[in-house]
Amino acid sequence: MKNFKTKYGYFDKNGKEFVITNHQTPRPWTNLLTNGDFGAIVSQTGSGYSWKGNAQLNRITRWEQDLIKDEWGKYLYIRDDSNGKFWSAGWKPVCAKPDFYEVRHGIGYTQISSRNYGIQSDLLMFIANDAPVELWKVTLTNKTKKRRTLSLYSYMEWNLGAAPDWHREFHKCFLNTEYDSKTGTIFGTKRLWEVPSPNGHWNRDWEYVAFHTSSVKPSSFDCDKESFMGMYQNLQSPKSVIEGKLKKQSGNSLDAIGSLQVKCSLKPNETKEIIFLLGATEKKDEAKKIIKKYKTVRSVDRAFSEMQKMWESLLGTTEVKTPDDSMNIMLNTWLKYQAIAGRLWGRTGYYQTGGAFGFRDQLQDSQIFLPIDPSQTKKQILLHARHQFKDGQVYHWWHPLSEVGLPTEMTDDLLWLPFVVSAYLQETNDHSILHLSEPFLDDKGGASLYEHCIRAIEKVYTRMSDRGLPLIGAGDWNDGLSAVGIQWKGESIWLGQFLHRILIDCIPMAELMSDPLRAVLFKQRADALRASLNSNGWDGAYYYGATKDSGEKLGSQTSPEGKIWLNTQTWSVIADVADEQRSHQVMDVVEKRLEHKAGTVLVYPGYKTPDTKIGYLTRYAAGMRENGGTYTHAATWTVIAHAKLKRAEAAFRSFSKINPIIRGAKPDEYVAEPYVTPGNIDGPDSRFYGRGGWTWYTGSAAWMFKAGFEWILGIRAGNTGLEIDPCIPKIWKSYSVKRIYRGATYHITVKNPNHVSKNIIKVVMDGKEIPVQEGKCIIPIGDVKSEHTVEVMLGK
Ligand code: GLC
């Protein structure tokens, strides 16, 4: 079935594949392929780049950010040697007019199929599970009645180090290439790497060797851009491909590229399969082993099915069936895939090459693993704990490979550690994590994870205002508030709410750690904080946002612009700061003043004038990104806040409005991919109202999963068991959820014959009725490895 079809494509294979039928999508529509170490991003034109370990510091192939041209990539030319006509397997770089063109972006792979002059080409790209290598399987079929003699030419530019490689005349001096005729492999190395070294600045080798080879022995090769392309020529019609001859250049100081020529002749209706490999290893010997292993079609086919199995085993751990197919597709497949492949493993996209770990970012993202494989969340927690200073402060981000990091004046980063630890405990009840000792950045002796969490909280308590509110410094969760409190006077209402949530959640943690005084202290602090937030943070009709160093209120009715901020409303509910009446009051305001066609905007109205005392948020055009756009990450919190208050229609509506499949129904307005979340959608103040951008590399994916799965479908990990607490559209008759919780698998079916939106009246587990309280139910913790059937009845 062709689901959610637009003029550019549709979902296939139960939503697990997005098929692009028109390559002229309004923006590059990309896929991200990675095994957590090696990775590649590929667009529907066939453009993109590859990396190992860090997409910024260790980019294997060159790419420059130009989403309009999208003309940097690793390409494959196909040439008919009888008449010299050529095209490319992807639409770029030749931009021929194929008779057929289709791109299938799937989980862990992309396949580009094209037909030109009677030759069908299917280029399948993916990354092996167990090796730093990208595999291309090219299947060529002769659909004509004539014998055809073809040459394939691969092409990529070596980057081999930090990206962007903008000063190419400098960097090319350190690149070296060689062709090993025995294995038919191009090897690339670089004698400079821009990461810190014990020998001083820029005095370190790039510590890898890149390789590129094919299953059919190449008949020729080239490592020189000049001889391949021709001076003043371009990739659309490179000299070598026109002439049908590669010049076999290699060595140092070239504009280094990798190109292999592979010949292929095809009888009528004949099909042949050819493999190309691109990878990078620490030692050449390792590369040779990988080459040997993956040089056959059989081994590549096996690697492909192993890769698919790996993803199935991850994504298949949770499964939902609701009457809303767009929700099913996002919750079952793409949000989890985006959070894992895009945010945790690849940490890159077309809109932003990160490479680094953001302290707050990847911790939040790692929540995606809680219902899938919580040991991965644990790994992430411990990694972040090691990037904290002994005074509790943390790096805002740091780069794996170089370990260079940015100490921060942002004030929320450190608190995400206790936040995620507490979510991990709810999921697993694995208290042992709190005792694990991890070093600090400036104290290798380290301390227990519990102590790391305590130091984060205590650090915030060294930065409180006289009114008992936390200072905002160079920004809270909102990066754009970069100047609000740089003199350490301005306060953040949101940070206070967030801190309140953490204090409450850490009370059981302190009790577990036999630290009763701390538990009492946290309770007292939470009470005091809540009182201050509710008096000092209240603006009459809603919570304002922050105070500047001058004391001026932001996000207030008295503010000339940016009169109302979203996060202080949603988090007053999420953090249990507002009482019930106020909670509804502020969410009414959110619906009335912040909700638009593309979800809730972060600020309204957007700032039209840059304000040096607020920060760069005010420098975006009004309606864009943090300045009045729908910031998807924050918009997912709207869903949670509504659902927490059982405002079911509003919760589902807010979810659907930011669902990329729904937004993508108008692709020329929305422009972004319909299968992954965007960082932002332009708000009503923008001239591009409704336009999505910054896809893949956004913290919204994991949170949107949480909002839909835990809060609308209402299946949440709790301290004493699995909570079932639906908040669904009334029209739904039933839905089902599969979820693993503390080792046991639950198959939950929720029936709604009376068309209500909430309120459980009966639960039967494995044939036995279990108690329901106040319309909710807590499934007692089952035996590890057991399977349970849970039937839930909603009603009045
Ligand atoms: C970006 C940052 C994230 C921040 C958000 C809001 O997505 O990566 O850390 O919280 O913007 O400013």
Side-chain angles (χ1 to χ4, degrees):
M1 200 172 76
K2 295 191 175 182
N3 272 316
F4 302 104
K5 193 170 179 319
T6 67
K7 69 196 229 214
Y8 297 109
Y10 61 93
F11 285 91
D12 198 10
K13 304 209 172 133
N14 214 4
K16 292 188 164 60
E17 237 181 28
F18 190 82
V19 187
I20 296 166
T21 46
N22 175 354
H23 56 273
Q24 296 202 338
T25 50
R27 282 287 177 278
W29 285 6
T30 61
N31 197 8
L32 202 144
L33 319 174
T34 176
N35 60 12
D37 172 35
F38 202 89
I41 188 160
V42 55
S43 78
Q44 87 295 349
T45 68
S47 301
Y49 56 89
S50 304
W51 67 90
K52 179 177 157 58
N54 184 326
Q56 198 184 133
L57 290 184
N58 206 13
R59 184 84 65 73
I60 305 300
T61 60
R62 287 187 90 203
W63 180 82
E64 275 176 27
Q65 191 175 46
D66 188 330
L67 271 67
I68 304 302
K69 289 184 182 161
D70 188 23
E71 63 176 14
W72 282 87
K74 302 156 297 171
Y75 296 123
L76 191 69
Y77 295 89
I78 304 174
R79 179 180 191 270
D80 187 331
D81 285 335
S82 68
N83 58 18
K85 289 206 165 89
F86 62 89
W87 59 98
S88 42
W91 183 59
K92 290 269 176 175
V94 178
C95 307
K97 290 200 174 66
D99 298 323
F100 172 80
Y101 189 82
E102 181 188 272
V103 178
R104 288 181 175 260
H105 285 322
I107 300 308
Y109 66 92
T110 285
Q111 175 165 295
I112 306 183
S113 300
S114 177
R115 201 173 309 133
N116 298 267
Y117 305 107
I119 300 292
Q120 165 87 21
S121 62
D122 299 290
L123 168 59
L124 174 70
M125 289 165 269
F126 68 99
I127 314 292
N129 282 350
D130 61 351
V133 66
E134 177 179 335
L135 302 165
W136 303 355
K137 178 179 164 186
V138 193
T139 307
L140 294 167
T141 306
N142 180 0
K143 299 266 185 196
T144 67
K145 297 206 167 66
K146 275 194 333 210
R147 187 184 181 89
R148 305 288 290 271
T149 48
L150 307 173
S151 279
L152 306 187
Y153 300 88
S154 60
Y155 176 87
M156 62 203 65
E157 274 193 63
W158 296 120
N159 185 81
L160 313 187
D165 189 0
W166 56 271
H167 194 166
R168 186 64 169 175
E169 279 306 308
F170 176 69
H171 285 282
K172 70 183 234 192
C173 304
F174 307 99
L175 286 163
N176 192 55
T177 51
E178 71 177 275
Y179 182 69
D180 173 25
S181 56
K182 205 167 136 235
T183 56
T185 307
I186 290 171
F187 289 104
T189 54
K190 191 173 175 194
R191 294 196 333 198
L192 176 116
W193 196 15
E194 307 89 322
V195 301
S197 119
N199 306 318
H201 188 56
W202 287 9
N203 194 9
R204 179 171 170 177
D205 287 337
W206 181 65
E207 289 156 4
Y208 304 88
V209 52
F211 59 92
H212 175 45
T213 189
S214 56
S215 58
V216 174
K217 187 126 198 217
S219 55
S220 192
F221 73 93
D222 205 348
C223 298
D224 179 19
K225 187 174 181 176
E226 183 178 353
S227 64
F228 179 88
M229 199 160 79
M231 203 60 202
Y232 304 116
Q233 288 183 237
N234 57 38
L235 284 186
Q236 195 167 10
S237 47
K239 188 163 179 275
S240 293
V241 181
I242 294 173
E243 292 170 358
K245 205 163 177 285
L246 293 184
K247 309 288 183 332
K248 300 189 175 174
Q249 299 297 308
S250 63
N252 63 27
S253 311
L254 299 173
D255 274 289
I257 62 149
S259 176
L260 297 173
Q261 179 184 8
V262 169
K263 292 200 167 155
C264 171
S265 79
L266 291 169
K267 289 187 256 174
N269 291 320
E270 192 183 11
T271 294
K272 278 189 181 157
E273 296 170 324
I274 301 166
I275 308 297
F276 287 88
L277 281 72
L278 166 66
T281 51
E282 273 152 33
K283 299 252 161 12
K284 209 173 185 177
D285 279 356
E286 276 172 71
K288 285 188 173 157
K289 275 191 204 139
I290 294 170
I291 291 166
K292 207 166 152 214
K293 176 163 178 191
Y294 287 111
K295 245 187 161 180
T296 66
V297 172
R298 262 188 55 204
S299 63
V300 169
D301 284 346
R302 201 175 316 122
F304 184 64
S305 78
E306 278 163 13
M307 182 281 297
Q308 287 193 298
K309 267 194 224 132
M310 183 270 287
W311 279 110
E312 269 162 36
S313 75
L314 287 178
L315 305 192
T317 43
T318 66
E319 204 180 314
V320 311
K321 257 190 219 128
T322 78
D324 190 298
D325 248 349
S326 67
M327 184 185 211
N328 298 341
I329 292 175
M330 292 313 294
L331 290 184
N332 284 332
T333 304
W334 288 95
L335 292 172
K336 291 183 278 185
Y337 183 65
Q338 179 181 357
I340 297 171
R343 288 283 292 189
L344 288 161
W345 291 1
R347 300 185 306 284
T348 193
Y350 250 40
Y351 293 79
Q352 183 185 355
T353 301
F357 283 104
F359 196 93
R360 63 158 97 92
D361 296 299
Q362 274 72 30
L363 263 179
Q364 289 173 77
D365 298 328
S366 76
Q367 297 180 97
I368 199 72
F369 271 122
L370 290 174
I372 296 177
D373 174 8
S375 72
Q376 302 285 337
T377 313
K378 176 176 173 181
K379 231 173 81 191
Q380 200 71 35
I381 289 171
L382 298 176
L383 175 71
H384 287 241
R386 293 195 286 278
H387 290 84
Q388 183 182 34
F389 294 92
K390 63 181 179 212
D391 72 347
Q393 192 48 290
V394 300
Y395 274 157
H396 185 55
W397 51 253
W398 75 93
H399 269 291
L401 301 187
S402 77
E403 283 300 314
V404 168
L406 181 74
T408 183
E409 305 270 81
M410 298 224 186
T411 44
D412 68 312
D413 285 309
L414 68 186
L415 284 180
W416 290 101
L417 185 67
F419 181 84
V420 175
V421 168
S422 129
Y424 173 81
L425 291 174
Q426 294 213 327
E427 181 71 36
T428 61
N429 201 33
D430 166 22
H431 307 159
S432 67
I433 193 175
L434 295 171
H435 299 277
L436 295 181
S437 176
E438 288 294 344
F440 294 101
L441 285 165
D442 51 351
D443 175 6
K444 296 298 160 208
S448 69
L449 182 66
Y450 176 66
E451 182 64 26
H452 279 262
C453 292
I454 298 300
R455 292 200 194 178
I457 296 169
E458 292 308 324
K459 180 71 189 178
V460 178
Y461 271 92
T462 66
R463 299 189 299 214
M464 298 293 276
S465 73
D466 295 344
R467 307 196 295 172
L469 293 172
L471 302 178
I472 187 168
D476 53 18
W477 168 89
N478 191 332
D479 278 347
L481 303 175
S482 51
V484 175
I486 46 180
Q487 290 164 23
W488 292 104
K489 289 189 195 126
E491 304 153 313
S492 164
I493 305 302
W494 176 82
L495 188 61
Q497 297 170 340
F498 183 46
L499 177 61
H500 183 259
R501 171 84 273 146
I502 287 161
L503 290 168
I504 289 178
D505 290 346
C506 286
I507 294 171
M509 213 191 278
E511 283 161 353
L512 271 173
M513 293 300 288
S514 311
D515 194 356
L517 290 181
R518 183 87 58 187
V520 171
L521 176 70
F522 282 179
K523 167 87 180 49
Q524 287 166 349
R525 279 176 170 175
D527 291 344
L529 187 55
R530 192 166 60 252
S532 176
L533 287 164
N534 279 320
S535 55
N536 297 319
W538 185 248
D539 199 47
Y542 50 83
Y543 294 89
Y544 65 89
T547 53
K548 287 181 172 176
D549 282 326
S550 63
E552 182 194 327
K553 283 197 226 167
L554 291 172
S556 151
Q557 310 184 57
T558 56
S559 308
E561 298 179 306
K563 283 175 167 301
I564 165 164
W565 290 7
L566 175 65
N567 287 352
T568 38
Q569 318 319 322
T570 54
W571 274 81
S572 71
V573 178
I574 296 171
D576 291 320
V577 165
D579 61 20
E580 192 170 349
Q581 182 261 329
R582 243 186 206 186
S583 292
H584 283 284
Q585 186 182 352
V586 297
M587 292 314 287
D588 284 344
V589 176
V590 166
E591 276 190 56
K592 225 167 92 203
R593 296 187 52 190
L594 296 176
E595 185 180 328
H596 295 276
K597 69 173 175 187
T600 42
V601 295
L602 196 58
V603 171
Y604 193 77
Y607 297 87
K608 297 204 170 54
T609 348
D611 184 332
T612 54
K613 299 285 189 283
I614 296 180
Y616 76 80
L617 181 147
T618 59
R619 298 180 180 277
Y620 288 117
M624 294 193 80
R625 294 188 41 81
E626 283 102 323
N627 188 15
T630 292
Y631 212 80
T632 322
H633 187 149
T636 67
W637 293 332
T638 311
V639 180
I640 297 177
H642 278 309
K644 195 158 184 240
L645 297 171
K646 290 287 175 294
R647 299 161 68 103
E649 302 302 320
F652 190 73
R653 197 177 62 236
S654 315
F655 182 89
S656 298
K657 282 184 171 182
I658 53 170
N659 184 335
I661 300 178
I662 309 273
R663 292 262 63 77
K666 284 191 181 165
D668 290 320
E669 173 185 296
Y670 181 61
V671 311
E673 292 98 322
Y675 41 89
V676 282
T677 56
N680 48 274
I681 309 168
D682 281 32
D685 290 332
S686 163
R687 56 190 294 228
F688 301 115
Y689 183 24
R691 175 183 283 187
W694 217 284
T695 57
W696 283 99
Y697 201 63
T698 147
S700 52
W703 274 109
M704 187 159 174
F705 177 82
K706 234 173 136 61
F709 191 79
E710 297 187 358
W711 290 95
I712 292 178
L713 305 185
I715 314 293
R716 291 190 292 274
N719 282 328
T720 52
L722 186 62
E723 293 179 17
I724 310 197
D725 181 21
C727 179
I728 56 166
K730 284 191 176 123
I731 50 160
W732 286 12
K733 269 204 201 129
S734 69
Y735 67 95
S736 64
V737 175
K738 180 186 115 186
R739 192 217 205 265
I740 296 171
Y741 178 65
R742 301 199 186 167
T745 307
Y746 297 88
H747 302 273
I748 304 161
T749 311
V750 180
K751 298 231 160 79
N752 186 24
N754 297 318
H755 290 288
V756 293
S757 62
K758 56 177 184 193
N759 202 42
I760 298 179
I761 51 172
K762 189 175 170 191
V763 178
V764 177
M765 178 159 99
D766 304 328
K768 268 212 251 143
E769 199 164 331
I770 51 173
V772 173
Q773 264 182 356
E774 291 173 21
K776 298 180 198 174
C777 159
I778 297 181
I779 306 268
I781 289 152
D783 307 332
V784 172
K785 293 208 161 63
S786 55
E787 298 254 339
H788 301 284
T789 318
V790 184
E791 286 159 51
V792 179
M793 185 65 75
L794 295 183
K796 290 198 180 108

